[in-house]
Amino acid sequence: MIRTDRLLLRRWTDADRPPFAAMNADPRVMEHLQGLMSPEASGAFVDRIERHWDEHGWGLWAVEVPDVVPFVGYVGLWPADYVADGMVEVGWRLASGQWGKGYATEAAREALRFGFDEVGFDEIVSFTVPQNVRSRRVMERIGLVRDAPGDFDHPRVDPVAYPHLVPHVFYRLPRAVWIARRESRAFPE
Ligand SMILES: CC(C)(COP(=O)(O)OP(=O)(O)OC[C@H]1O[C@@H](n2cnc3c(N)ncnc32)[C@H](O)[C@@H]1OP(=O)(O)O)[C@@H](O)C(=O)NCCC(=O)NCCS
């Protein structure tokens, strides 16, 4: 469990399941993903997230705004082995009523710190469809850098049903760059 200025990043509870299912059935939230999720699929996703925490000690946090909203969505780290072996992605999905408050950025900065400092990853990446401008802005705000030669066609997107969701833009942040930035901020000239 981790506190940031405004947020609590924590493991999931059963109370998170209904609001998460509602988010996953919201066309605004799912606009750049492959269709709406059923409550069953949403619940199975929570099971996978919790299993991943148990097995690996890192993953997607349930995000709470203490004394304000018990669950606003998820932010955290997730394996992207289907893109490249050992690749780790920072990702986010918030309820649409909670956009525009900086919650994703605040939690994602902590996800980078946790991934680099506590888990020890050498690199954290992120990717999305070019038209997902909100998500790309989060990537840029937290310091990920676009790697255009790394852009790719997502292997898990159905090209017949969702051709517009196949091409992905790729962003990355090596640990060394993150550490150098942190040090230059801590010891300005
Ligand atoms: C991607 C997603 C998490 C981004 O949400 P968001 O609210 O735009 O991002 P943040 O939480 O970082 O908030 C940033 C916005 O809050 C504003 N803001 C308000 N108060 C703020 C504060 N205290 N601190 C920082 N930003 C603040 C910023 O100005 C910014 O607005 P802008 O982008 O219009 O300039 C959200 O759109 C989402 O869940 N989308 C659906 C799921 C999805 O597509 N996930 C990614 C798949 S790859």
Side-chain angles (χ1 to χ4, degrees):
M1 215 185 257
I2 294 181
R3 284 296 303 245
T4 65
D5 284 349
R6 296 177 296 171
L7 307 173
L8 179 64
L9 311 178
R10 56 166 177 76
R11 293 286 292 264
W12 294 63
T13 69
D14 282 343
D16 301 327
R17 290 171 183 265
F20 190 51
M23 275 175 56
N24 289 327
D26 176 349
R28 270 193 88 195
V29 172
M30 304 306 277
E31 179 184 357
H32 305 295
L33 303 164
Q34 295 185 79
L36 307 184
M37 281 173 103
S38 67
E40 293 72 27
S42 178
F45 188 15
V46 176
D47 294 341
R48 275 207 309 285
I49 293 170
E50 275 298 298
R51 208 164 44 240
H52 192 273
W53 274 111
D54 287 339
E55 289 171 4
H56 302 279
W58 56 272
L60 300 173
W61 288 294
V63 180
E64 175 174 338
V65 191
D67 304 321
V68 182
V69 196
F71 176 81
V72 296
Y74 72 65
V75 174
L77 303 170
W78 199 240
D81 292 297
Y82 55 89
V83 181
D85 233 17
M87 190 169 267
V88 175
E89 174 193 13
V90 58
W92 33 73
R93 188 181 300 178
L94 299 186
S96 52
Q98 303 299 330
W99 297 358
K101 301 178 181 185
Y103 292 155
T105 296
E106 184 171 323
R109 288 201 171 108
E110 182 56 25
L112 294 181
R113 191 206 60 76
F114 182 82
F116 288 132
D117 265 358
E118 295 191 32
V119 191
F121 292 125
D122 288 331
E123 180 169 67
I124 295 175
V125 307
S126 199
F127 43 84
T128 187
V129 293
Q131 58 272 27
N132 194 347
V133 173
R134 281 183 172 276
S135 192
R136 294 179 67 174
R137 280 207 291 258
V138 178
M139 294 173 198
E140 286 160 11
R141 273 193 294 266
I142 66 174
L144 271 72
V145 178
R146 172 82 189 281
D147 173 12
D151 289 358
F152 65 99
D153 286 350
H154 201 298
R156 292 189 173 170
V157 173
D158 177 349
V160 177
Y162 303 101
H164 63 296
L165 300 181
V166 171
H168 273 58
V169 288
F170 189 64
Y171 288 72
R172 63 200 319 165
L173 181 59
R175 181 164 190 271
V177 172
W178 180 79
I179 287 175
R181 278 204 205 125
R182 178 168 69 175
E183 284 171 359
S184 68
R185 266 199 298 275
F187 305 104
E189 285 174 15

